[in-house]
Amino acid sequence: MSSASERATHWLNEFEAALKAQDIGAALNLFDDDCYWRDLISFTWNIKTSEGKDQIADMLKATLSHVKPSHWKLAEDATGDEAMTEAWITFETSVARGKGHLRLKNGKGWTLLTTMV
């Protein structure tokens, strides 16, 4: 059995690889069918909630090439169990650093919050 931090780090590494390759399909495969991404400025330059994989795909198609997100890391130890893992995270874009919060439900992304610092 892996720790909460190992589960979250594995997800972040897979997510970063998909985004770096601009493989939106691979990024979406990391999310649960019931998923949400709330972005505060870091990707959309707005306050935007994407509900479901279709809206997340649309947001990534519109922003990924110029945002260039990278360096997805845990900000502190993740918590939870295999059913629900929660983690505070950091990342970078082409113009700023970011902080966020990730919730994994059964290993898949359920909620992701990204904010510009």
Side-chain angles (χ1 to χ4, degrees):
M1 173 156 81
S2 61
S3 72
S5 291
E6 289 169 332
R7 287 188 298 278
T9 297
H10 176 75
W11 192 93
L12 290 170
N13 289 341
E14 294 290 314
F15 190 58
E16 181 170 359
L19 296 181
K20 185 175 182 177
Q22 296 193 21
D23 187 342
I24 293 171
L28 293 176
N29 285 337
L30 296 168
F31 284 90
D32 192 70
D33 289 335
D34 175 34
C35 58
Y36 306 87
W37 184 337
R38 176 86 162 171
D39 181 63
L40 304 176
I41 315 295
S42 61
F43 277 71
T44 61
W45 288 94
N46 208 331
I47 298 170
K48 168 83 173 139
T49 300
S50 299
E51 298 182 26
K53 290 183 179 184
D54 289 344
Q55 288 184 13
I56 291 172
D58 290 344
M59 189 267 294
L60 288 174
K61 287 175 191 170
T63 63
L64 192 55
S65 65
H66 62 276
V67 171
K68 298 181 174 112
S70 63
H71 298 95
W72 296 82
K73 306 284 182 205
L74 293 180
E76 57 189 56
D77 287 340
T79 61
D81 56 27
E82 290 182 12
M84 182 66 65
T85 302
E86 295 194 43
W88 290 100
I89 61 171
T90 61
F91 61 95
E92 296 178 16
T93 71
S94 60
V95 297
R97 291 192 160 108
K99 290 186 178 181
H101 190 262
L102 170 67
R103 281 192 217 151
L104 302 176
K105 184 168 33 169
N106 298 315
K108 294 280 195 168
W110 178 39
T111 65
L112 178 60
L113 167 69
T114 51
T115 65
M116 184 182 288
V117 176

